[in-house]
Amino acid sequence: MNITNAEENYLKAIFKIAEKENKAASTNKLAEVMGTSPASITDMIKKMSDKKLVNYTKYYGVTLTSEGSKIATNLIRRHRLWELFLVDKLRFPWHQVHNIAEELEHIKSDDLVARLDAFLNYPKFDPHGDPIPNAEGKFTIRSQSPLSDARKGQKYVLVGLKENNYDFLKFLYDQGFKIGSSITLLEKSDYDHTAKILLDGRSEILLGAVVTQNLLVRNE
Amino acid sequence: MNITNAEENYLKAIFKIAEKENKAASTNKLAEVMGTSPASITDMIKKMSDKKLVNYTKYYGVTLTSEGSKIATNLIRRHRLWELFLVDKLRFPWHQVHNIAEELEHIKSDDLVARLDAFLNYPKFDPHGDPIPNAEGKFTIRSQSPLSDARKGQKYVLVGLKENNYDFLKFLYDQGFKIGSSITLLEKSDYDHTAKILLDGRSEILLGAVVTQNLLVRNE
DNA sequence: GAAATTATTTAAGTTTGCTTAAAAATAGAT
DNA sequence: ATCTATTTTTAAGCAAACTTAAATAATTTC
């Protein structure tokens, strides 16, 4: 069966909503995420339900069938592999790769993905620290906690980000943060969740609450 | 102005027809190349004429405007850069890259192309020996002649191919040919244009007329 | 140079993925 | 439990890029 780019995007959106909210995706939420009208969603979802890509219950919401889930996972795999390629090989800053990867992820060739994976050395995480599902669709899980929960004086490694929005990424990029950076917590305020850190043994940086809560680190 | 993927493909087809036949592209020829009906061509060409991408004269044919030519050249640049990436970096055999590059060439990012170009070291030719126009749209010209015109006993370098069809490429790939291969002409028949060559100092190969006429070489 | 063949265009219609506006169902407030 | 507000669906319609069938123009052939 042929899956269009638009359908792939719907599957991905439903997957991400389910992952975040842990429930069926509503028409309105999907419309918001996809940047279309709710009417378009109902329209499209009906067709995708006929194709057995999603389970649709009127006035309730949409979930993925196992077929739909497989396609969504594969799409995320492709997206994240391309993001890593763009950052590691083409030297793009990490806040500039999302839109390009949104296009690259739709290239239809399993061989291409397999070879790209090999070229990048079968990576487990993308440049933002998000896990790259393997060819079987398995995500690697890692231990992590927000920097806001960290202990003063301890040394951490930046492993991920809770938010991937452009401005946040650009801010971090400009400060010199990247996945794998070492972060030593010099000072912290339990009152307002700000912190002073030493980044990669080089620069002392003051961070506000929003930043410390969205940086995911692991010990040592 | 927004150019769709379909429009880009029309521009490329018109460019290639003009290059090969040295005249305006006819509706039927375009239909054949694009794999659509002649009626679709007329339909589309009219819209593209309104957009000043092509010059269209009813019942006569289509040529590119300078704007259209610029876009077509850029598309060829992108196509050939991606083909080189696929062969050199992802280790695809050269007969398997065309279709994937047909998709990759439509990714809309000038920055991506510039970085890919740099990553590949500003190459002048793709894996099939076709010239890659530079960022300004300039093609590199090189001296070349078909192997069928070569002289017995002389040593040559394979620089290009007259035909890029799948079966020809696969045949050559299976024999071990690639751009840059050394070819020594051991025997040749002026009667039927067959030849016996030494490829890369390793293997002696007998070639038929079609092959010798479609291999482009230069001396030494 | 008229008739026949071929090439091209026009006309009408299709599919995909979207839109707006109106109708219907659900959920929330009192 | 009813009224109101919100969400969702239905209906009608649009643009892009196709299709087939019919009409028209150009080219060949005799």
Side-chain angles (χ1 to χ4, degrees):
Chain A
M1 199 200 325
N2 223 53
I3 315 277
T4 66
N5 288 1
E7 285 170 339
E8 283 190 339
N9 288 334
Y10 273 80
L11 292 174
K12 194 173 63 162
I14 297 162
F15 185 98
K16 290 200 166 175
I17 290 168
E19 189 185 43
K20 210 172 180 183
E21 311 190 348
N22 231 26
K23 62 175 188 196
S26 72
T27 302
N28 263 17
K29 181 72 192 172
L30 266 172
E32 180 203 320
V33 170
M34 305 284 304
T36 67
S37 70
S40 306
I41 303 294
T42 305
D43 198 67
M44 193 71 171
I45 287 305
K46 272 189 199 162
K47 294 176 203 157
M48 292 175 69
S49 178
D50 293 344
K51 278 178 141 181
K52 308 248 183 267
L53 295 171
V54 298
N55 308 114
Y56 171 51
T57 312
K58 267 192 185 184
Y59 294 104
Y60 168 68
V62 200
T63 58
L64 296 178
T65 61
S66 67
E67 171 69 4
S69 183
K70 215 180 84 190
I71 295 167
T73 305
N74 199 242
L75 195 64
I76 288 168
R77 170 171 161 77
R78 273 134 62 186
H79 182 96
R80 292 182 180 169
L81 283 173
W82 279 118
E83 284 202 337
L84 188 62
F85 167 75
L86 294 172
V87 170
D88 274 17
K89 302 295 182 180
L90 299 197
R91 329 247 92 210
F92 270 95
W94 70 2
H95 53 289
Q96 287 176 10
V97 297
H98 181 77
N99 292 328
I100 299 176
E102 290 277 287
E103 296 189 52
L104 285 164
E105 69 189 7
H106 295 293
I107 308 288
K108 263 96 192 157
S109 165
D110 290 343
D111 199 8
L112 175 63
V113 179
R115 285 175 187 270
L116 182 63
D117 194 24
F119 182 59
L120 298 172
N121 239 275
Y122 308 102
K124 298 204 174 332
F125 299 96
D126 79 7
H128 311 111
D130 294 322
I132 301 173
N134 68 12
E136 284 72 46
K138 267 243 154 42
F139 289 83
T140 300
I141 298 171
R142 91 190 140 223
S143 70
Q144 60 181 40
S145 51
L147 185 62
S148 50
D149 290 0
R151 297 223 313 279
K152 182 175 160 177
Q154 290 277 73
K155 198 173 168 189
Y156 298 91
V157 177
L158 180 64
V159 296
L161 307 170
K162 243 187 203 157
E163 272 297 330
N164 276 359
N165 79 66
Y166 184 91
D167 288 341
F168 183 49
L169 286 172
K170 176 158 175 20
F171 167 79
L172 294 174
Y173 175 81
D174 289 342
Q175 305 287 316
F177 285 91
K178 56 183 181 299
I179 297 300
S181 284
S182 108
I183 295 177
T184 307
L185 191 59
L186 302 176
E187 315 268 356
K188 73 174 289 192
S189 154
D190 283 329
Y191 168 63
D192 62 1
H193 291 287
T194 58
K196 185 163 139 194
I197 64 154
L198 181 67
L199 179 63
D200 287 325
R202 276 189 272 101
S203 42
E204 287 187 9
I205 302 176
L206 285 169
L207 301 174
V210 182
V211 176
T212 60
Q213 286 162 1
N214 283 293
L215 291 179
L216 300 172
V217 298
R218 69 165 160 69
N219 253 102
E220 201 197 36
Chain B
M1 201 198 327
N2 223 53
I3 315 276
T4 66
N5 288 1
E7 284 169 341
E8 283 190 340
N9 288 334
Y10 274 81
L11 293 174
K12 194 173 62 163
I14 298 163
F15 186 97
K16 290 201 164 174
I17 291 169
E19 188 184 43
K20 208 171 181 182
E21 310 190 349
N22 232 25
K23 63 174 188 195
S26 72
T27 301
N28 263 16
K29 181 70 193 173
L30 265 173
E32 179 204 321
V33 170
M34 305 284 305
T36 67
S37 69
S40 306
I41 303 293
T42 305
D43 197 67
M44 191 73 171
I45 287 304
K46 272 189 200 162
K47 294 177 206 159
M48 291 175 69
S49 178
D50 293 344
K51 279 178 138 180
K52 308 245 182 268
L53 295 171
V54 298
N55 308 115
Y56 172 51
T57 311
K58 267 192 185 184
Y59 294 105
Y60 167 69
V62 200
T63 59
L64 296 178
T65 62
S66 67
E67 171 69 3
S69 183
K70 216 181 83 189
I71 294 167
T73 305
N74 199 241
L75 195 64
I76 288 167
R77 169 171 161 77
R78 272 135 61 185
H79 182 97
R80 293 182 180 168
L81 283 173
W82 280 118
E83 284 201 338
L84 188 63
F85 166 75
L86 293 172
V87 169
D88 275 17
K89 301 296 181 178
L90 299 196
R91 329 248 91 212
F92 270 95
W94 69 3
H95 53 288
Q96 287 176 11
V97 297
H98 181 77
N99 292 329
I100 299 176
E102 290 277 287
E103 296 190 51
L104 285 164
E105 69 189 8
H106 295 294
I107 308 287
K108 262 95 192 156
S109 165
D110 290 341
D111 199 7
L112 175 63
V113 179
R115 285 174 188 270
L116 181 63
D117 194 24
F119 182 58
L120 298 172
N121 240 274
Y122 309 101
K124 299 204 173 330
F125 299 96
D126 78 7
H128 312 112
D130 294 323
I132 301 173
N134 68 13
E136 284 73 46
K138 267 242 154 45
F139 290 82
T140 300
I141 298 171
R142 89 187 144 225
S143 70
Q144 60 182 40
S145 51
L147 185 62
S148 50
D149 290 0
R151 298 223 313 279
K152 182 175 161 175
Q154 290 276 76
K155 198 173 168 188
Y156 298 91
V157 177
L158 180 63
V159 295
L161 308 170
K162 243 186 201 158
E163 272 297 329
N164 276 357
N165 79 66
Y166 184 91
D167 288 342
F168 183 50
L169 286 172
K170 177 160 174 18
F171 167 79
L172 293 175
Y173 176 81
D174 289 342
Q175 305 286 318
F177 286 90
K178 55 183 182 299
I179 296 301
S181 284
S182 107
I183 295 177
T184 307
L185 192 58
L186 302 176
E187 314 268 357
K188 73 175 289 191
S189 154
D190 283 330
Y191 168 64
D192 62 2
H193 291 287
T194 58
K196 184 162 140 194
I197 64 154
L198 181 67
L199 178 63
D200 286 326
R202 274 189 273 103
S203 42
E204 288 187 9
I205 302 176
L206 285 169
L207 301 175
V210 182
V211 176
T212 60
Q213 286 163 1
N214 283 292
L215 291 179
L216 301 172
V217 299
R218 69 166 160 70
N219 252 101
E220 201 199 36

